[in-house]
């Protein structure tokens, strides 16, 4: 309600008493949407601060104002040194004008996100504060009044449509009428409520900053929770401006931080849940070492070239079917299983470590959420913003030349294009990282980041190879050969086109091209 005709009626009267016969000594801007006017006479100085942000336009009247030495520009120079003669409030309009000597005037057009301040000379507009509204140069001061016959007969004529009779009531009064279900009452009772309220706000005794429907408002009548109460409209709207700016910042940032941290918490919870399920599935099945032990104990029962064999599992006292590689001997199959057992042990250790790390991260996020909910002042909020620069990190990540995936605690990077492939391989990959690429076709470079000299688990290598195949010309093949080598064996001689490199030493594995990370995201 701070940009409301009834507010400006009171404001204009108080302004005239304050600045009539004063001289405008300063008119400058220190930011794009803010104008400061400084008036002075023998009684002292008076300041008007016009904040005309698109999302929040409001006037305030600080007791003092220190101008910065830089980033400050003088505006409306024709008005400097001129004395104020009068203040004009326009009927049923969110506009008022400060009239200066020699037929100059500054019009304050307070129309929400289209607010502006316009300079006039001899009734003709010649300068704008916000040049993005050139149509304001066509405004005529003598055409701004909107006389309306606001009588009972007209209200009944409009069939109770109060907005046609009182178009300047504004959003707050509209919300209030909705809360009391005004439209459900008889027209006679509606008129009585409206006329009483209109009488109160036309001649208010107090000026309130209130909390109503979880939002901060300036009001000319008591409503919701009273935050501030002032006898002067100038003081009341100034207190509202400071309260709104402070409280709105706190509310907005608390909401943003809470949303950001809740997202992190849910991601951690989903990761822990999924990882524990995977851990349980692996632990419930017979381990590769157990299968190998069973094979070794039953070599004489395994027929040559068998693809599977059913044997007695002495760990569970039940029979078990064990898949075999038909081209290998039973002993070689057992050796393969023992080798897999070692890798499986490493993978399980890494999975358990990842779960513990995520549990620690979850505790930290929940602690931060508690801090956000408890924060009540700007200092605390700013401290929390510094601790959680999520937006800045996201902006940095958007600029990197790769897509990033995680699997079993390992980071897999996939180049976004030919030039990005070069940047990934030559700038981001270290010599002991693992480098992958679909064999003999164009495609993305893929890098698995090394973890403290740990070996790369076969399953992680397989997943990275599937990504390399998926982001290549072999995407639609049933099986794709993929080059796997430490990055130190990859070089780029001068003159090669973007994305092309030489590989000095390589191994090749066959995988099915698969976008496994999409399924992972869906499950999360």
């Amino acid at each position: 309600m701070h940009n409301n005709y009834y507010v400006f009626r009171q404001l204009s009267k108080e302004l005239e008493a304050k600045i009539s016969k004063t001289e405008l000594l300063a008119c400058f801007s220190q930011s794009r949407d803010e104008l400061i006017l400084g008036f002075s006479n023998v009684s002292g100085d008076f300041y008007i601060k016009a904040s005309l942000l698109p999302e929040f336009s409001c006037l305030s009247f600080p007791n003092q104002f220190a101008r910065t030495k830089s980033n400050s520009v003088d505006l409306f120079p024709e008005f400097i040194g001129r004395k104020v003669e009068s203040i004009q409030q326009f009927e049923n309009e969110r506009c008022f004008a400060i009239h200066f000597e020699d037929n100059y005037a500054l019009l304050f057009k307070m129309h929400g996100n289209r607010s502006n301040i316009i300079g006039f000379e001899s009734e003709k507009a010649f300068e704008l504060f916000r040049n993005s509204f050139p149509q304001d140069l066509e405004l005529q001061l003598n055409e701004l009044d909107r006389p309306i016959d606001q009588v009972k007969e007209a209200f009944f004529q409009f069939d109770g449509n109060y907005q046609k009779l009182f178009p300047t009531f504004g959003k707050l009064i509209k919300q209030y009428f909705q809360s009391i279900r005004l439209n459900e009452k008889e027209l006679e009772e509606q008129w009585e409520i409206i006329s009483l309220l209109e009488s109160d706000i036309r001649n208010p005794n107090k000026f309130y900053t209130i909390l109503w429907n979880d939002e901060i408002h300036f009001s000319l009548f008591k409503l919701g929770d009273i935050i501030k109460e002032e006898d002067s409209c100038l003081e009341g709207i100034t207190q509202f401006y400071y309260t709104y700016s402070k409280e709105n910042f706190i509310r907005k940032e608390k909401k943003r931080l809470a949303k950001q941290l809740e997202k992190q918490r849910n991601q951690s919870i989903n990761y822990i849940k999924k990882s524990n399920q995977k851990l349980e599935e692996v632990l419930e099945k017979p381990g590769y070492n157990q299968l190998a032990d069973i094979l070794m104990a039953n070599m004489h029962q395994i027929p040559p070239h068998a693809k599977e064999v059913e044997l007695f599992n002495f760990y569970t006292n039940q029979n078990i079917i064990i898949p075999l590689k038909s081209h290998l001997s039973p002993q070689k199959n057992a050796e393969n299983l023992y080798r897999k057992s070692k890798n499986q042990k490493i993978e399980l250790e890494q999975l358990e470590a990842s779960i513990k790390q995520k549990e620690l991260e979850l505790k930290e996020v929940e602690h931060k959420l508690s801090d956000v909910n408890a924060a009540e002042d700007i200092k605390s909020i700013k401290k929390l913003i510094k601790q959680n620069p999520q937006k800045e990190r996201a902006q940095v990540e958007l600029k990197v030349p790769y897509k990033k995936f995680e699997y079993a605690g390992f980071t897999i990077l996939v180049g976004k294009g030919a030039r990005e492939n070069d940047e990934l391989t030559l700038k981001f990959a270290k010599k002991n990282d693992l480098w992958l690429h679909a064999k003999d076709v164009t495609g993305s470079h893929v890098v698995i980041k090394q973890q403290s000299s740990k070996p790369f688990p076969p399953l992680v290598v397989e997943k990275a190879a599937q990504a390399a195949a998926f982001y290549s010309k072999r995407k639609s093949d049933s099986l794709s050969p993929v080059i796997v080598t430490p990055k130190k064996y990859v070089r780029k001689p001068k003159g090669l086109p973007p994305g092309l490199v030489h590989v000095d030493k390589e191994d090749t594995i066959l995988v099915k091209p698969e976008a496994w990370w999409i399924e992972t995201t869906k499950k999360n």
Side-chain angles (χ1 to χ4, degrees):
M1 195 176 184
H2 58 288
N3 289 335
N4 180 274
Y5 160 67
Y6 291 94
V7 172
F8 291 133
R9 271 175 52 90
Q10 304 303 315
L11 198 61
S12 297
K13 292 176 188 175
E14 292 186 21
L15 263 183
E16 184 151 33
K18 280 281 184 183
I19 66 174
S20 183
K21 308 304 178 187
T22 63
E23 188 177 331
L24 182 66
L25 295 184
C27 185
F28 60 93
S29 178
Q30 297 182 160
S31 66
R32 181 180 171 184
D33 297 298
E34 183 180 273
L35 185 68
I36 310 296
L37 297 97
F39 301 84
S40 185
N41 63 11
V42 291
S43 302
D45 298 333
F46 184 83
Y47 295 93
I48 299 177
K49 178 181 176 181
S51 299
L52 306 186
L53 293 164
E55 63 273 17
F56 177 65
S57 60
C58 185
L59 300 178
S60 60
F61 307 91
N63 292 325
Q64 55 186 5
F65 198 93
R67 184 173 183 176
T68 60
K69 292 180 181 179
S70 59
N71 299 323
S72 178
V73 58
D74 290 311
L75 295 173
F76 296 104
E78 295 85 358
F79 291 81
I80 301 300
R82 298 188 186 277
K83 287 186 177 180
V84 176
E85 291 188 337
S86 64
I87 308 290
Q88 179 182 6
Q89 173 62 52
F90 298 97
E91 191 69 19
N92 290 307
E93 255 298 351
R94 293 172 292 167
C95 295
F96 66 90
I98 302 176
H99 288 276
F100 294 81
E101 60 188 357
D102 300 325
N103 211 18
Y104 280 84
L106 278 178
L107 174 68
F108 286 71
K109 187 195 80 169
M110 304 301 292
H111 287 190
N113 61 5
R114 299 184 65 82
S115 294
N116 206 353
I117 298 171
I118 304 107
F120 286 80
E121 181 185 8
S122 302
E123 304 290 323
K124 182 173 175 57
F126 71 94
E127 188 174 353
L128 302 175
F129 173 58
R130 296 177 74 186
N131 291 313
S132 51
F133 302 117
Q135 62 273 26
D136 286 348
L137 288 171
E138 299 171 11
L139 291 173
Q140 300 290 326
L141 292 177
N142 58 7
E143 295 177 359
L144 290 177
D145 280 316
R146 286 196 299 167
I148 301 173
D149 192 15
Q150 296 167 327
V151 295
K152 185 176 181 180
E153 291 75 16
F155 177 74
F156 278 83
Q157 219 173 20
F158 290 133
D159 197 27
N161 188 340
Y162 71 87
Q163 292 182 73
K164 288 187 176 180
L165 205 58
F166 301 97
T168 60
F169 269 177
K171 291 180 182 178
L172 182 65
I173 293 176
K174 182 181 179 182
Q175 289 176 10
Y176 168 67
F177 285 156
Q178 287 172 344
S179 72
I180 64 171
R181 301 188 178 185
L182 180 74
N183 62 338
E184 296 178 13
K185 304 181 187 300
E186 296 292 330
L187 286 183
E188 191 75 39
E189 188 180 356
Q190 286 186 36
W191 173 251
E192 187 178 344
I193 292 169
I194 290 167
S195 57
L196 280 172
L197 179 69
E198 201 271 345
S199 176
D200 286 344
I201 64 176
R202 183 173 284 274
N203 297 292
N205 295 317
K206 298 285 185 180
F207 304 88
Y208 307 98
T209 297
I210 64 166
L211 182 65
W212 165 259
N213 286 343
D214 204 35
E215 289 184 9
I216 294 169
H217 300 270
F218 181 69
S219 178
L220 300 178
F221 65 105
K222 281 189 175 182
L223 182 65
D225 298 323
I226 309 298
I227 299 173
K228 298 278 185 182
E229 179 180 318
E230 301 291 343
D231 295 327
S232 153
C233 186
L234 287 170
E235 192 61 37
I237 205 165
T238 300
Q239 289 301 321
F240 160 75
Y241 172 77
Y242 290 135
T243 302
Y244 181 91
S245 299
K246 175 187 170 185
E247 296 296 330
N248 196 54
F249 173 80
I250 292 173
R251 284 166 173 271
K252 183 179 175 182
E253 289 304 313
K254 279 183 75 167
K255 186 177 179 181
R256 184 186 68 79
L257 284 168
K259 185 179 178 181
Q260 174 184 315
L261 290 168
E262 282 165 5
K263 183 180 178 181
Q264 291 177 25
R265 180 179 64 182
N266 291 338
Q267 287 173 340
S268 294
I269 289 170
N270 288 335
Y271 181 89
I272 292 167
K273 182 181 177 183
K274 185 187 168 193
S275 298
N276 277 323
Q277 286 173 348
K278 184 178 177 182
L279 198 59
E280 287 174 15
E281 286 172 8
V282 173
L283 294 174
E284 283 174 2
K285 293 178 182 178
Y288 290 123
N289 60 328
Q290 291 184 11
L291 298 177
D293 290 345
I294 295 166
L295 285 181
M296 292 298 290
N298 295 278
M299 287 286 181
H300 58 286
Q301 296 186 41
I302 303 170
H305 309 299
K307 290 185 177 180
E308 62 180 34
V309 63
E310 184 174 355
L311 299 171
F312 177 70
N313 184 349
F314 43 79
Y315 287 101
T316 62
N317 293 323
Q318 293 177 336
N319 280 3
I320 186 171
I321 295 173
I322 302 175
L324 301 171
K325 292 187 176 179
S326 58
H327 64 284
L328 297 179
S329 67
Q331 187 171 348
K332 285 291 182 183
N333 271 296
E335 287 175 8
N336 276 348
L337 289 172
Y338 281 127
R339 194 179 302 115
K340 283 185 176 181
S341 174
K342 287 181 182 178
N343 290 332
Q344 187 181 54
K345 184 181 177 184
I346 293 168
E347 187 181 346
L348 288 174
E349 286 173 354
Q350 289 171 345
L351 192 57
E352 287 171 346
S354 296
I355 291 170
K356 285 181 182 177
Q357 180 61 34
K358 279 294 176 185
E359 286 173 342
L360 289 173
E361 289 176 14
L362 179 60
K363 284 183 181 179
E364 186 182 351
V365 166
E366 288 176 338
H367 179 71
K368 286 180 178 179
L369 259 173
S370 177
D371 288 344
V372 167
N373 292 330
E376 294 182 352
D377 56 67
I378 290 177
K379 186 178 178 181
S380 301
I381 291 294
K382 286 185 175 178
K383 184 179 176 182
L384 289 166
I385 290 170
K386 282 184 179 179
Q387 293 172 355
N388 299 276
Q390 183 72 17
K391 192 176 288 184
E392 288 77 10
R393 282 202 300 269
Q395 288 172 349
V396 171
E397 284 175 7
L398 286 174
K399 297 175 184 176
V400 297
Y402 52 74
K403 299 178 181 72
K404 182 179 177 182
F405 307 117
E406 299 286 339
Y407 191 83
F410 279 80
T411 298
I412 299 170
L413 308 178
V414 180
K416 294 179 178 177
R419 294 186 184 280
E420 289 84 356
N421 281 338
D422 283 350
E423 196 175 348
L424 168 59
T425 298
L426 302 175
K427 292 183 181 179
F428 287 87
K430 305 298 182 186
K431 66 176 184 177
N432 291 322
D433 293 342
L434 210 57
W435 187 90
L436 302 92
H437 193 282
K439 192 174 178 67
D440 299 329
V441 293
T442 57
S444 291
H445 295 192
V446 175
V447 171
I448 308 174
K449 298 299 290 178
Q450 189 191 39
Q451 280 196 1
S452 306
S453 302
K454 291 179 183 177
F456 295 98
L459 190 56
V460 173
V461 176
E462 182 184 340
K463 293 297 182 183
Q466 287 178 331
F470 183 82
Y471 285 107
S472 79
K473 292 289 186 181
R474 296 190 183 276
K475 179 179 178 179
S476 57
D477 292 358
S478 55
L479 282 175
S480 168
V482 175
I483 295 170
V484 181
T485 187
K487 186 264 171 185
K488 62 186 176 184
Y489 296 123
V490 181
R491 58 191 174 87
K492 187 175 181 73
K494 261 189 177 181
L496 280 188
L500 287 183
V501 293
H502 278 185
V503 180
D504 296 326
K505 184 179 177 182
E506 67 184 62
D507 291 321
T508 302
I509 62 173
L510 280 172
V511 295
K512 178 184 177 183
E514 187 176 330
W516 47 267
W517 53 91
I518 295 175
E519 193 60 34
T520 302
T521 305
K522 284 180 181 177
K523 288 178 181 176
N524 286 341

